[in-house]
Amino acid sequence: MIIYKIPLSSHKFQYISGKFQIWNISKIPQTKFPENFRKSSRPQFTNCPTMIVMVGLPARGKTYISKKLTRYLNWIGVPTQVFNLGQYRREVLQTYKNYEFFRPDNEEAMKIRRAYASNALKDIASYFTKEQGQVAVLDATNTTRERRGVIINFAKEKGYKVFFIESVCDDPEIIEANTMQVKLSSPDYENYDKEEALVDFLKRIDCYKMSYVPLDEEKDRHLSFIKIFNVGSRYLVNRVQDHIQSRIVYYLMNIHVTPRSIYLSRHGESELNLLGRIGGDTGLSSQGQKYAKALAEFIRGQSIKDLKVWTSHMKRTIQTAEALGVPYEQWKALNEIDAGVCEEMTYEEIQATHPEEFALRDQDKYRYRYPKGESYEDLVHRLEPVIMELERQENVLVICHQAVMRCLLAYFLDKSEDDLPYLKCPLHTVLKLTPLAYGCKVESFYLNIQAVNTHRDRPTVNRSQATLLLTIHYLLICSRAPVQKPSPA
Amino acid sequence: VADTTLTRELTQNPLKKIWVPSSTNGLPERYISQRKVCMTNCPTLIVTVGLPARGKTYISKKLTRYLNWIDVPTKEFNVGQYRRECVKIYKSFEFFRPDNEEGLKIRKQCALAALNDVRQFLTDEGGQVAVFDATNTTRERRETILRFAEQNGFKVFFVESVCEDPDVIAENIVQVKLGCPDYTHCNTEDAVADFMKRIKCYENSYQPLDEELDRDLSFIKIIDVGRRYLVNRVQDHIQSRIVYYLMNIHITPRSIYLCRHGESDLNIKGRIGGDSGLSARGKEFAKALGQFIQSQNIRDLKVWTSQMKRTIQTAEALGVPYEQWKALNEIDAGVCEELMYEEIQQKYPLEFALRDQDKYRYRYPKGESYEDLVQRLEPVIMELERQENVLVICHQAVMRCLLAYFLDKTAEELPYLKCALHTVLKLTPMAYGCKVESVCLNVDAVNTHRDRPSNVDVSRLPEEALLTVPDHH
């Protein structure tokens, strides 16, 4: 038995064919080619940073799309950030007076606007080069060909791809709804009363209308873009260049703004839960059965229109759904995380039989893959079609499992990879998620049926310090293999 | 809403390992369902629109192949074929002249006959999607179809292909029209001339789908072979998937190379699954593969592997960058991992028999089925469609699934496709299908192919079950 001190930060080791391998946390065999090094278990989406550039008059949903798209891309593992010019403006100006700032003949204001727009571009460059970002969303009106030209030139110089997303809407009801929902509560209108704010905002839109040049099928045929008409009834898609743009288009074509709620719940307490064992495929305990009945009553009480019910393929979620007395759909993709060799063990048993695995899991619970099992990262990949379908649907109740529910919740509440595996999803509690403005309202309903607690908190490991003692069995070290620090992706 | 005190007992279906309520208290089977691509009760009619030689049949056939592969029963109905059955011999483009009364009558009859078959497929034969492949260039013809669909409760989705690039059109004509039965007795020049006149017959009355006039219809307009798309009113999940697929396919010439990892240590022992390394012969294959790939002089080749040691070791020998996909991992044999077939027969004779009864749908206990594999591989297929030259180094069951997609094999045929070790399949899209070249790299390996034995009954004797097991050490 050999004991090694291994720096925490370089837990990836060189793979030398045949001789030995030290599996890294995600059990991904490391390759000889540094350019092939990836932190995730998924293939490259793009080699080249991409700028997504929003286009459209105010109150057309640009910020809504920017934030939602960014949340989705981050969730699937593509580092993305929004750069909202309105925010840059507020930082420069401190207080907003009125719409006059946006008048096209306001030279002074134009100068200021060009300046902070240029700062935003600089920040984007910095995000790509210094922070390993892959996608930057420039959230601004970008309504003139001239402005878009500036952005295109900037991107060309730096070697970034550009993809435009234009939102076109002439339905006055939608515009009014947008305005009421998000504009009037913006920091700009803190000191205005509602009616004055509305008047000022409409004048603001007028300032842009005069010079608005929409993307054109003919004149802009060399650009890559999607034009969204009237919140998705029609799309014009031009020159999709690569995989990530194709995924973005698919996502945008599946989202909608119809009000609805998503209910997330775990199965009722199971027999293995009672024994403190993870995984497996057991049925409900008697408390779990009580929960199933309580869930049915709760759902009836909510009077939900056209509710769809989804479960996994595992007995415990199906038994829970059965008590509802309504049709339900089984998704294999909703199955609990596969704990591989640790299936049906207690945490104590895992500690006893696989202590190094247990330690590795606590180091990086998101990327850690059980031997012959899965990681949270794998789960997210597996759940992507579920999220896509949830976006298409309206009212849905998803009866699933702890790790699965954490992944879904992280998507809706924009939680990071670090936080995701530690989100609290206790048994016998329903979370009701309702999209609201730019985010999601969460209501938690504990249905008052006792259950065990299955939540294991983040252990107090100091991750910024360097070393962790590991005991490793069956190790043959090849002398020419230095422990290499991974090069940035 | 049923009385919730009558909670149904659950039993696990032995083949698919799916928990279903046992029908003890008479509640209907259709109460629960497995997540399928097509969750709607409402069949969909896809209607192509466009002048001749715009790729309508290419799109119809490809889309049908894809939908069937992801388990949506789909069939295409090509009106040209109905016409050929009706008018035995094709004389010339004159048949298609807009003032040819007789011609118009026959063409309308053929369209209606095809629609009738569509109705039968979607209503009586369990079909979920029918692709109505014809020019459908007039608003009047499309109205007829819409009325037909409404009467029968079908959703309609139009796929229009618009293309004015003369090079693309010429290439289409050469690739598929000249070889078509209409022109078997024609020389190339005459055939091309006639066909161009045929296109002219349609041009004057062509009414493309219009953003305004057709704003209530569901459609996708594909412009210039995918440079631009106009998508209007996508109604449901299946239409959304169809749009995504159509936006990812291309016609740039390229080849896809499929092969398995080199022979592994577990292969030699006749054991399934696991994560072992290459045997000596497997390493030889890896070297030979490297040489073969070099000799092919492939432009910008991408290499993909699974995350299992044996495919990665194989790729390592190529000396080029490669990408690892977890989705390409071999089928998970659950409790049967690393067992020999003899051991599976001994420990799990029932499972072994069930597998032979329905190898596509059979799921190993705590493992996967071929059906699961196909679902897992769908993103791989989607990305293969987007890419150009790719070498995929994978595993037996995985390769069978991918091959079935490219060669349009059924669920019954798929699990028995022959994918031998140390053999590379080169697939090149051609006309409406795929050319396959099989290259055996002349490095010996064990045979891992197990044919379906004649006796699949659970009561069979062990010898009968093991009859078709390939030799191993």
Side-chain angles (χ1 to χ4, degrees), chain A residues 44-59:
Chain A
Q44 290 280 32
F45 287 129
T46 178
N47 311 323
C48 183
T50 303
M51 279 184 64
I52 296 182
V53 182
M54 304 301 300
V55 180
L57 294 172

PDB file of all heavy atoms in Angstrom, chain A residues 44-59:
ATOM      1  N   GLN A  44     -16.719  18.996 -26.783  1.00  0.00           N
ATOM      2  CA  GLN A  44     -16.650  20.436 -26.978  1.00  0.00           C
ATOM      3  C   GLN A  44     -17.867  20.966 -27.705  1.00  0.00           C
ATOM      4  O   GLN A  44     -18.304  20.381 -28.672  1.00  0.00           O
ATOM      5  CB  GLN A  44     -15.429  20.763 -27.851  1.00  0.00           C
ATOM      6  CG  GLN A  44     -14.108  20.554 -27.189  1.00  0.00           C
ATOM      7  CD  GLN A  44     -13.750  21.692 -26.280  1.00  0.00           C
ATOM      8  OE1 GLN A  44     -14.621  22.312 -25.685  1.00  0.00           O
ATOM      9  NE2 GLN A  44     -12.474  21.968 -26.145  1.00  0.00           N
ATOM     10  N   PHE A  45     -18.439  22.047 -27.245  1.00  0.00           N
ATOM     11  CA  PHE A  45     -19.536  22.656 -27.972  1.00  0.00           C
ATOM     12  C   PHE A  45     -19.016  23.637 -29.006  1.00  0.00           C
ATOM     13  O   PHE A  45     -19.583  23.848 -30.031  1.00  0.00           O
ATOM     14  CB  PHE A  45     -20.468  23.388 -27.000  1.00  0.00           C
ATOM     15  CG  PHE A  45     -21.300  22.451 -26.171  1.00  0.00           C
ATOM     16  CD1 PHE A  45     -21.362  22.579 -24.804  1.00  0.00           C
ATOM     17  CD2 PHE A  45     -22.018  21.446 -26.772  1.00  0.00           C
ATOM     18  CE1 PHE A  45     -22.120  21.717 -24.038  1.00  0.00           C
ATOM     19  CE2 PHE A  45     -22.790  20.570 -26.015  1.00  0.00           C
ATOM     20  CZ  PHE A  45     -22.839  20.705 -24.641  1.00  0.00           C
ATOM     21  N   THR A  46     -17.932  24.293 -28.658  1.00  0.00           N
ATOM     22  CA  THR A  46     -17.389  25.269 -29.604  1.00  0.00           C
ATOM     23  C   THR A  46     -15.936  25.505 -29.268  1.00  0.00           C
ATOM     24  O   THR A  46     -15.540  25.437 -28.115  1.00  0.00           O
ATOM     25  CB  THR A  46     -18.184  26.597 -29.537  1.00  0.00           C
ATOM     26  OG1 THR A  46     -17.593  27.519 -30.433  1.00  0.00           O
ATOM     27  CG2 THR A  46     -18.148  27.188 -28.149  1.00  0.00           C
ATOM     28  N   ASN A  47     -15.106  25.767 -30.286  1.00  0.00           N
ATOM     29  CA  ASN A  47     -13.692  26.016 -30.019  1.00  0.00           C
ATOM     30  C   ASN A  47     -13.451  27.483 -29.800  1.00  0.00           C
ATOM     31  O   ASN A  47     -12.404  27.894 -29.353  1.00  0.00           O
ATOM     32  CB  ASN A  47     -12.842  25.617 -31.227  1.00  0.00           C
ATOM     33  CG  ASN A  47     -13.196  24.249 -31.698  1.00  0.00           C
ATOM     34  OD1 ASN A  47     -13.488  23.381 -30.910  1.00  0.00           O
ATOM     35  ND2 ASN A  47     -13.212  24.060 -32.997  1.00  0.00           N
ATOM     36  N   CYS A  48     -14.435  28.277 -30.165  1.00  0.00           N
ATOM     37  CA  CYS A  48     -14.212  29.677 -30.420  1.00  0.00           C
ATOM     38  C   CYS A  48     -15.227  30.434 -29.574  1.00  0.00           C
ATOM     39  O   CYS A  48     -16.399  30.109 -29.594  1.00  0.00           O
ATOM     40  CB  CYS A  48     -14.504  29.832 -31.901  1.00  0.00           C
ATOM     41  SG  CYS A  48     -14.253  31.433 -32.545  1.00  0.00           S
ATOM     42  N   PRO A  49     -14.822  31.455 -28.789  1.00  0.00           N
ATOM     43  CA  PRO A  49     -15.827  32.165 -27.993  1.00  0.00           C
ATOM     44  C   PRO A  49     -16.910  32.757 -28.898  1.00  0.00           C
ATOM     45  O   PRO A  49     -16.642  33.141 -30.024  1.00  0.00           O
ATOM     46  CB  PRO A  49     -15.041  33.286 -27.315  1.00  0.00           C
ATOM     47  CG  PRO A  49     -13.628  32.898 -27.404  1.00  0.00           C
ATOM     48  CD  PRO A  49     -13.494  32.054 -28.617  1.00  0.00           C
ATOM     49  N   THR A  50     -18.135  32.783 -28.375  1.00  0.00           N
ATOM     50  CA  THR A  50     -19.252  33.283 -29.165  1.00  0.00           C
ATOM     51  C   THR A  50     -19.890  34.471 -28.481  1.00  0.00           C
ATOM     52  O   THR A  50     -20.137  34.450 -27.277  1.00  0.00           O
ATOM     53  CB  THR A  50     -20.319  32.183 -29.335  1.00  0.00           C
ATOM     54  OG1 THR A  50     -19.706  31.041 -29.934  1.00  0.00           O
ATOM     55  CG2 THR A  50     -21.456  32.660 -30.222  1.00  0.00           C
ATOM     56  N   MET A  51     -20.160  35.527 -29.286  1.00  0.00           N
ATOM     57  CA  MET A  51     -20.913  36.673 -28.761  1.00  0.00           C
ATOM     58  C   MET A  51     -22.335  36.559 -29.251  1.00  0.00           C
ATOM     59  O   MET A  51     -22.572  36.476 -30.458  1.00  0.00           O
ATOM     60  CB  MET A  51     -20.331  37.981 -29.293  1.00  0.00           C
ATOM     61  CG  MET A  51     -19.125  38.451 -28.544  1.00  0.00           C
ATOM     62  SD  MET A  51     -18.558  40.041 -29.154  1.00  0.00           S
ATOM     63  CE  MET A  51     -19.940  41.087 -28.758  1.00  0.00           C
ATOM     64  N   ILE A  52     -23.270  36.537 -28.324  1.00  0.00           N
ATOM     65  CA  ILE A  52     -24.666  36.575 -28.721  1.00  0.00           C
ATOM     66  C   ILE A  52     -25.106  38.014 -28.572  1.00  0.00           C
ATOM     67  O   ILE A  52     -24.953  38.618 -27.504  1.00  0.00           O
ATOM     68  CB  ILE A  52     -25.514  35.656 -27.840  1.00  0.00           C
ATOM     69  CG1 ILE A  52     -25.049  34.212 -28.057  1.00  0.00           C
ATOM     70  CG2 ILE A  52     -26.984  35.793 -28.193  1.00  0.00           C
ATOM     71  CD1 ILE A  52     -25.834  33.222 -27.287  1.00  0.00           C
ATOM     72  N   VAL A  53     -25.625  38.582 -29.640  1.00  0.00           N
ATOM     73  CA  VAL A  53     -25.963  40.002 -29.633  1.00  0.00           C
ATOM     74  C   VAL A  53     -27.469  40.167 -29.770  1.00  0.00           C
ATOM     75  O   VAL A  53     -28.049  39.770 -30.786  1.00  0.00           O
ATOM     76  CB  VAL A  53     -25.240  40.726 -30.786  1.00  0.00           C
ATOM     77  CG1 VAL A  53     -25.554  42.208 -30.755  1.00  0.00           C
ATOM     78  CG2 VAL A  53     -23.744  40.491 -30.694  1.00  0.00           C
ATOM     79  N   MET A  54     -28.102  40.728 -28.766  1.00  0.00           N
ATOM     80  CA  MET A  54     -29.546  40.933 -28.804  1.00  0.00           C
ATOM     81  C   MET A  54     -29.854  42.140 -29.671  1.00  0.00           C
ATOM     82  O   MET A  54     -29.050  43.075 -29.770  1.00  0.00           O
ATOM     83  CB  MET A  54     -30.098  41.169 -27.398  1.00  0.00           C
ATOM     84  CG  MET A  54     -29.792  40.080 -26.400  1.00  0.00           C
ATOM     85  SD  MET A  54     -30.418  38.463 -26.886  1.00  0.00           S
ATOM     86  CE  MET A  54     -32.163  38.787 -27.005  1.00  0.00           C
ATOM     87  N   VAL A  55     -30.988  42.099 -30.339  1.00  0.00           N
ATOM     88  CA  VAL A  55     -31.425  43.229 -31.169  1.00  0.00           C
ATOM     89  C   VAL A  55     -32.913  43.433 -30.954  1.00  0.00           C
ATOM     90  O   VAL A  55     -33.679  42.474 -30.955  1.00  0.00           O
ATOM     91  CB  VAL A  55     -31.184  42.943 -32.675  1.00  0.00           C
ATOM     92  CG1 VAL A  55     -31.650  44.122 -33.528  1.00  0.00           C
ATOM     93  CG2 VAL A  55     -29.724  42.639 -32.945  1.00  0.00           C
ATOM     94  N   GLY A  56     -33.324  44.700 -30.768  1.00  0.00           N
ATOM     95  CA  GLY A  56     -34.766  44.944 -30.669  1.00  0.00           C
ATOM     96  C   GLY A  56     -35.094  46.182 -29.872  1.00  0.00           C
ATOM     97  O   GLY A  56     -34.295  46.647 -29.055  1.00  0.00           O
ATOM     98  N   LEU A  57     -36.285  46.698 -30.108  1.00  0.00           N
ATOM     99  CA  LEU A  57     -36.752  47.873 -29.369  1.00  0.00           C
ATOM    100  C   LEU A  57     -36.923  47.524 -27.891  1.00  0.00           C
ATOM    101  O   LEU A  57     -36.981  46.342 -27.537  1.00  0.00           O
ATOM    102  CB  LEU A  57     -38.102  48.329 -29.945  1.00  0.00           C
ATOM    103  CG  LEU A  57     -38.074  48.852 -31.380  1.00  0.00           C
ATOM    104  CD1 LEU A  57     -39.491  49.082 -31.881  1.00  0.00           C
ATOM    105  CD2 LEU A  57     -37.265  50.148 -31.457  1.00  0.00           C
ATOM    106  N   PRO A  58     -37.011  48.546 -27.026  1.00  0.00           N
ATOM    107  CA  PRO A  58     -37.249  48.249 -25.618  1.00  0.00           C
ATOM    108  C   PRO A  58     -38.567  47.499 -25.417  1.00  0.00           C
ATOM    109  O   PRO A  58     -39.495  47.640 -26.207  1.00  0.00           O
ATOM    110  CB  PRO A  58     -37.315  49.652 -24.986  1.00  0.00           C
ATOM    111  CG  PRO A  58     -36.544  50.531 -25.906  1.00  0.00           C
ATOM    112  CD  PRO A  58     -36.758  49.980 -27.282  1.00  0.00           C
ATOM    113  N   ALA A  59     -38.616  46.721 -24.348  1.00  0.00           N
ATOM    114  CA  ALA A  59     -39.814  45.940 -23.984  1.00  0.00           C
ATOM    115  C   ALA A  59     -40.156  44.851 -24.989  1.00  0.00           C
ATOM    116  O   ALA A  59     -41.324  44.490 -25.154  1.00  0.00           O
ATOM    117  CB  ALA A  59     -41.016  46.861 -23.757  1.00  0.00           C
TER     118      ALA A  59
END
